[in-house]
Amino acid sequence: GAVVSQHPSWVICKSGTSVKIECRSLDFQATTMFWYRQFPKQSLMLMATSNEGSKATYEQGVEKDKFLINHASLTLSTLTVTSAHPEDSSFYICSAGGVADTQYFGPGTRLTVL
Amino acid sequence: ELKVEQNPLFLSMQEGKNYTIYCNYSTTSDRLYWYRQDPGKSLESLFVLLSNGAVKQEGRLMASLDTKARLSTLHITAAVHDLSATYFCASQETRGKLIFGQGTELSVKP
């Protein structure tokens, strides 16, 4: 139980295009999902907290207009990187909040912007 | 602001040896988590520590929590090559937000 999937697992795009990443909780409902970004050899940094049916809460320094988050259902949150640039290349990991605030992590999406 | 600091950041061990990774956090926290990350992969949950004095063990890994000292430790006993990975601790604020340490890159050599 408590499986979280992400799609796609990797994506390569050209600079200036937008990329959407999906995060799904497969066997449980998650009112809260979290989006993290991890650069090579670095730790995970929380980008935003996504709440079903309401606006996401962004961490300081994260551009809400660039990283659009939608949490339209209890099993799906999406992160759209708009007008992507090479510096947005990173490993994006989502997690879904389960019982007693336990977080279940997705497998991650590797984004490469050319 | 809650900060989480790990040390060492890099650890090269010989098989069969013991070592400890330390995780200090700067404010009172509800919970402390330990994760393992293999290269190119996401996080694998190892332990969740919920209260002062909590100790959990799985195989060659043992984690403990001292909330008074704001310190958690991950002890490795008789290391084997399969334990080579990056280990993260994370402290959880209210409303579920996780703050991660820098990670400890562990390399176990024969």
Side-chain angles (χ1 to χ4, degrees):
Chain A
V3 178
V4 177
S5 70
Q6 280 184 243
H7 178 79
S9 55
W10 59 270
V11 56
I12 302 173
C13 69
K14 292 182 179 180
S15 185
T17 60
S18 295
V19 175
K20 181 185 284 188
I21 302 170
E22 293 184 349
C23 177
R24 293 182 184 271
S25 56
L26 298 184
D27 50 4
F28 67 103
Q29 294 182 328
T31 55
T32 304
M33 291 184 175
F34 302 86
W35 287 95
Y36 298 85
R37 180 169 53 182
Q38 185 181 33
F39 292 109
K41 298 292 188 181
Q42 294 189 23
S43 186
L44 280 75
M45 296 298 295
L46 179 65
M47 300 175 66
T49 302
S50 167
N51 297 295
E52 187 267 338
S54 64
K55 291 184 179 180
T57 302
Y58 290 82
E59 294 299 304
Q60 190 172 8
V62 177
E63 300 175 57
K64 62 179 68 177
D65 294 331
K66 180 170 182 62
F67 298 99
L68 301 179
I69 291 174
N70 184 278
H71 194 158
S73 77
L74 290 172
T75 59
L76 173 65
S77 176
T78 60
L79 168 68
T80 301
V81 183
T82 63
S83 187
H85 291 285
E87 57 265 31
D88 298 323
S89 297
S90 187
F91 194 42
Y92 292 86
I93 304 174
C94 74
S95 70
V99 175
D101 286 337
T102 300
Q103 288 188 30
Y104 300 95
F105 286 85
T109 297
R110 187 160 305 281
L111 170 64
T112 302
V113 185
L114 301 176
Chain B
E1 180 186 348
L2 179 65
K3 289 185 179 179
V4 180
E5 296 185 349
Q6 288 180 236
N7 74 84
L9 301 184
F10 299 95
L11 180 54
S12 181
M13 298 176 63
Q14 277 192 312
E15 282 192 329
K17 298 292 187 181
N18 304 334
Y19 210 85
T20 301
I21 300 171
Y22 297 88
C23 175
N24 288 91
Y25 52 98
S26 61
T27 64
T28 302
S29 175
D30 292 77
R31 302 172 177 192
L32 198 292
Y33 294 80
W34 284 96
Y35 297 94
R36 168 181 172 146
Q37 185 178 39
D38 291 299
K41 303 289 187 181
S42 187
L43 300 182
E44 173 189 350
S45 179
L46 295 175
F47 302 107
V48 54
L49 303 166
L50 301 177
S51 61
N52 187 43
V55 177
K56 290 196 174 180
Q57 183 165 5
E58 181 72 34
R60 301 175 187 274
L61 301 178
M62 183 175 70
S64 66
L65 179 63
D66 181 345
T67 58
K68 293 181 181 178
R70 297 175 187 167
L71 171 69
S72 180
T73 61
L74 180 67
H75 187 73
I76 303 157
T77 302
V80 294
H81 179 69
D82 286 351
L83 290 179
S84 296
T86 299
Y87 293 84
F88 290 96
C89 65
S91 186
Q92 188 168 40
E93 294 184 332
T94 53
R95 291 185 290 179
K97 180 176 172 180
L98 287 175
I99 308 297
F100 283 86
Q102 309 98 309
T104 297
E105 186 175 337
L106 171 65
S107 175
V108 182
K109 301 181 179 180

